[in-house]
Amino acid sequence: MYVTGRFPLLVALGVVPVMVLAVAGISPWAVLVAWLVFSLVVATGDAWRAVSPAALTLVRDGATRSRLGDAVQTGIWITNTHARAAHLTVRDAWQPTAGAPLERASANIPGGERRRISVPLLPRRRGELQSPFVAVRSAGPLGVAGRQSLIKNVGTLRVLPPFTSRRHLASRVARLKELDGNTSLQVRGQGTEFDSLREYVRGDDVRSIDWRATARSSTTMLRTWRPERDRHVVILIDTGRTSAARVGDGTRLDAFLEAALLLTALAQRAGDHVHVVMFDRVVRARVSGVDGPRLLPAIVDAMAPVEPQLLDTNWDAAFAEIRTLTTRPSLVVLLTAQDSPDASRAFLGSLQPVTARSRVIVGSATDTALDDITQQRAHIDEVYRAAAAEQTAAEARAVALAMERAGAEAITDTPEDLPPRVADRYLALKRLGRL
């Protein structure tokens, strides 16, 4: 049972006769006690007349998946199986990061009918969001008191990565089409295959002239080459403690997800096979053996619930996991934060066997504020911060140099620029015939 805001008003009505009796010199206590008892009896009777929450049937509807930052329309259908009308106040128990409205919804449902309560959401965090129950208050006919109950009805919403780097996809796909048989590659490598013949035009690479076809024709003929398809791209996303560091408006892991999604979408358009694994000491998510239109949704869905783990990544186990994905030479993209020589020893020690059999790119998101900090030296505190920023940058350069000596290519940039840079390097390898 609960009482509404009308109950204090009911009690307050008894103050008037009490004041009149007090002025007349009559003791008001008996009247006051009687009025309080009357008020409690009225409230109890009103609560008894309220429709029991047990007579209500709840069914959820609406989206169960959404991208981070997108508004989601969810709702609850409430059926009143009782003969009397139900006067309800409802609140869905979504966690705060789901962005549910703070106001309670109201509904008057006649007996035997149903109504829909709209619950709009605006998620502020990626992952699995949940509402374990619905809080329902059923008021009596007088609106003085009622019944209240928590009805167990679980609602879930999987909030997917926003994939903001999608805006770079169209321009990269256009460049991919230029490589895919429409132009003569300037340098032919082992990752290219013959596509077709066309007439030579000024500016083409003379090394691509097909002399036999030219002898049979009245004009100079040129061979065009296109990047080979069916290559394997393995993306390993580090979910260890370094991925929890904040860079820009999010974490490093968020930047890694954006880079992985853009590269996946581009490689899928190029006809390559993409394998994705998220790892620290165990596999947190893995997508392999999926191609075509199902690939990107499968990866997005697998990434959604993964959060950074506050422990060091086991790189020997991580690289062993890569070897289980494909036995063919492939492009391995490691998305990790390796910016301290001491913390990177295990990574660098395990890297060379991978680079011996595959082409390796190491992508890392850097703090966007470092450059600004190094320029601010007006006060002694700013000088110390600038020195710390310079040291951090110098250590990151030393680690990148060590990666290059081990045979890998290091790409370090801001969270916004890292995804297109990784995609551009993939296209460059395609163009050079090295993939």
Side-chain angles (χ1 to χ4, degrees):
M1 173 180 170
Y2 76 97
V3 294
T4 68
R6 295 184 181 182
F7 181 75
L9 295 177
L10 178 64
V11 175
L13 290 176
V15 176
V16 177
V18 168
M19 293 178 63
V20 173
L21 293 174
V23 172
I26 302 175
S27 175
W29 298 111
V31 176
L32 181 61
V33 171
W35 186 260
L36 289 175
V37 172
F38 171 75
S39 300
L40 290 174
V41 171
V42 170
T44 303
D46 198 36
W48 181 80
R49 290 285 297 171
V51 174
S52 172
L56 304 175
T57 302
L58 276 62
V59 178
R60 293 182 180 272
D61 72 349
T64 57
R65 278 172 169 74
S66 173
R67 293 195 181 277
L68 180 63
D70 290 350
V72 184
Q73 294 299 326
T74 66
I76 305 172
W77 284 98
I78 304 179
T79 303
N80 179 15
T81 61
H82 202 279
R84 292 195 300 268
H87 309 284
L88 307 177
T89 303
V90 180
R91 184 169 185 180
D92 203 354
W94 287 100
Q95 58 199 86
T97 52
L102 298 177
E103 300 80 13
R104 296 176 175 87
S106 300
N108 294 319
I109 308 177
E113 297 187 14
R114 68 172 187 166
R115 296 289 186 272
R116 185 179 187 274
I117 302 296
S118 178
V119 186
L121 304 178
L122 185 61
R124 299 191 297 270
R125 183 179 66 83
R126 174 182 53 79
E128 294 283 352
L129 305 182
Q130 190 177 82
S131 170
F133 59 85
V134 179
V136 177
R137 285 183 172 182
S138 176
L142 300 178
V144 176
R147 308 185 190 187
Q148 135 177 323
S149 179
L150 302 180
I151 301 177
K152 186 175 181 180
N153 190 292
V154 180
T156 59
L157 177 67
R158 173 164 287 195
V159 183
L160 309 175
F163 195 10
T164 56
S165 60
R166 183 191 295 271
R167 64 183 184 273
H168 302 290
L169 182 59
S171 59
R172 271 65 188 181
V173 170
R175 289 165 55 184
L176 180 64
K177 290 180 179 179
E178 292 178 359
L179 298 179
D180 196 10
N182 294 331
T183 60
S184 172
L185 294 177
Q186 295 299 314
V187 180
R188 181 193 171 198
Q190 61 179 358
T192 58
E193 60 182 7
F194 174 73
D195 180 51
S196 62
L197 293 171
R198 65 170 174 82
E199 293 186 5
Y200 173 85
V201 296
R202 188 182 297 274
D204 283 335
D205 187 0
V206 297
R207 291 174 294 179
S208 296
I209 295 176
D210 189 318
W211 297 107
R212 291 186 178 180
T214 299
R216 295 192 301 266
S217 176
S218 60
T219 183
T220 304
M221 301 300 294
L222 192 78
R223 286 188 178 186
T224 60
W225 308 88
R226 66 179 179 184
E228 286 188 6
R229 296 176 178 269
D230 296 326
R231 295 303 196 184
H232 288 258
V233 178
V234 179
I235 304 174
L236 187 143
I237 302 174
D238 179 13
T239 57
R241 62 177 181 82
T242 57
S243 65
R246 295 197 66 83
V247 288
D249 295 330
T251 64
R252 275 176 165 156
L253 181 59
D254 295 329
F256 296 160
L257 299 185
E258 289 292 325
L261 290 175
L262 181 60
L263 179 58
T264 296
L266 188 60
Q268 186 261 328
R269 301 288 182 88
D272 289 336
H273 304 285
V274 180
H275 314 269
V276 175
V277 60
M278 303 181 73
F279 194 93
D280 41 72
R281 291 186 180 177
V282 296
V283 175
R284 302 295 174 181
R286 172 174 173 163
V287 177
S288 182
V290 181
D291 292 307
R294 298 183 297 114
L295 174 61
L296 198 61
I299 292 177
V300 170
D301 198 56
M303 287 177 171
V306 179
E307 297 292 343
Q309 306 297 313
L310 299 182
L311 44 82
D312 290 322
T313 300
N314 184 338
W315 286 106
D316 288 333
F319 293 144
E321 185 67 26
I322 289 177
R323 289 192 291 271
T324 65
L325 295 174
T326 177
T327 58
R328 298 176 57 184
S330 56
L331 173 65
V332 176
V333 179
L334 307 175
L335 298 172
T336 179
Q338 302 295 331
D339 47 17
S340 170
D342 292 335
S344 302
R345 287 177 180 173
F347 173 78
L348 295 172
S350 304
L351 182 60
Q352 197 160 9
V354 182
T355 60
R357 59 189 299 271
S358 301
R359 185 168 296 277
V360 178
I361 296 175
V362 182
S364 180
T366 186
D367 192 346
T368 56
L370 283 180
D371 293 338
D372 296 335
I373 294 175
T374 57
Q375 303 301 322
Q376 299 172 3
R377 307 191 181 194
H379 305 287
I380 185 65
D381 292 341
E382 293 179 349
V383 172
Y384 281 117
R385 283 196 292 269
E390 291 281 5
Q391 181 179 0
T392 300
E395 290 179 348
R397 288 193 295 268
V399 174
L401 184 61
M403 292 180 193
E404 292 176 0
R405 287 198 297 264
E409 180 178 352
I411 298 177
T412 303
D413 216 320
T414 62
E416 294 77 17
D417 294 333
L418 178 64
R421 282 199 60 190
V422 173
D424 289 343
R425 188 54 189 157
Y426 168 80
L427 290 174
L429 294 174
K430 282 284 188 184
R431 179 177 61 83
L432 297 174
R434 297 177 182 174
L435 177 60

